[in-house]
Amino acid sequence: MDAAAARVKSLTSHLVSNFSAEEENHQSKPEASSKMAGSPLTSHVLDTARGSPASHMRIEVYFLAGGQWKRISEGFTNSDGRCPGLLKQDQFLPGIYKMFFDTGAYFKNINTKGFYPFVEVVFEIEDPSQHYHVPLLLSPYSYSTYRGS
């Protein structure tokens, strides 16, 4: 199997195992509360070029207040590419948010030249009682994001 096929297989395996675990957790809690026990805002960063989670990436969360961005949280992704505990429920209000992903430092740490020094994802929260998941799929020369569940 060539390197590209191995990366795709690794990434697919990771995504499928996470989906199965999340589905199993959901089934064991049939009436899951809309207020999450953990952070109401989560992220998962996957390095699609390497076929693995992007660990130790700095993420900052900002809130737009009075026309100015105010940093309200920051953290680093763990070995699974997740950053648990980004926000507490009482911090999560309706409004405009920005997640800053420090992709430049991440790529420097893995000795890879990347094109994007950082990624900013701006989104609007209307109902803070819901859970919002903002994944980032990343490679040195591209990225993609979407509203996850």
Side-chain angles (χ1 to χ4, degrees), residues 3 21 31 104 120:
E31 292 298 320
E120 292 182 327

Side-chain angles (χ1 to χ4, degrees), residues 101-113:
F101 297 87
D102 193 354
T103 56
Y106 166 75
F107 283 124
K108 184 177 180 181
N109 286 339
I110 62 169
N111 297 315
T112 299
K113 176 67 179 142

Side-chain angles (χ1 to χ4, degrees), residues 40-42 92 121 123-136 144-149:
L41 176 65
T42 57
F92 204 45
V121 179
F123 53 95
E124 184 172 13
I125 299 301
E126 292 182 0
D127 181 0
S129 70
Q130 291 186 28
H131 175 252
Y132 294 85
H133 185 63
V134 181
L136 182 67
S144 178
T145 186
Y146 56 94
R147 177 174 176 197
S149 59

Side-chain angles (χ1 to χ4, degrees), residues 77-108:
T77 57
N78 61 20
S79 62
D80 192 36
R82 299 176 189 276
C83 189
L86 272 174
L87 292 177
K88 294 182 173 96
Q89 188 66 49
D90 63 350
Q91 291 177 286
F92 204 45
L93 306 170
I96 308 286
Y97 288 80
K98 173 172 66 173
M99 291 182 76
F100 171 93
F101 297 87
D102 193 354
T103 56
Y106 166 75
F107 283 124
K108 184 177 180 181

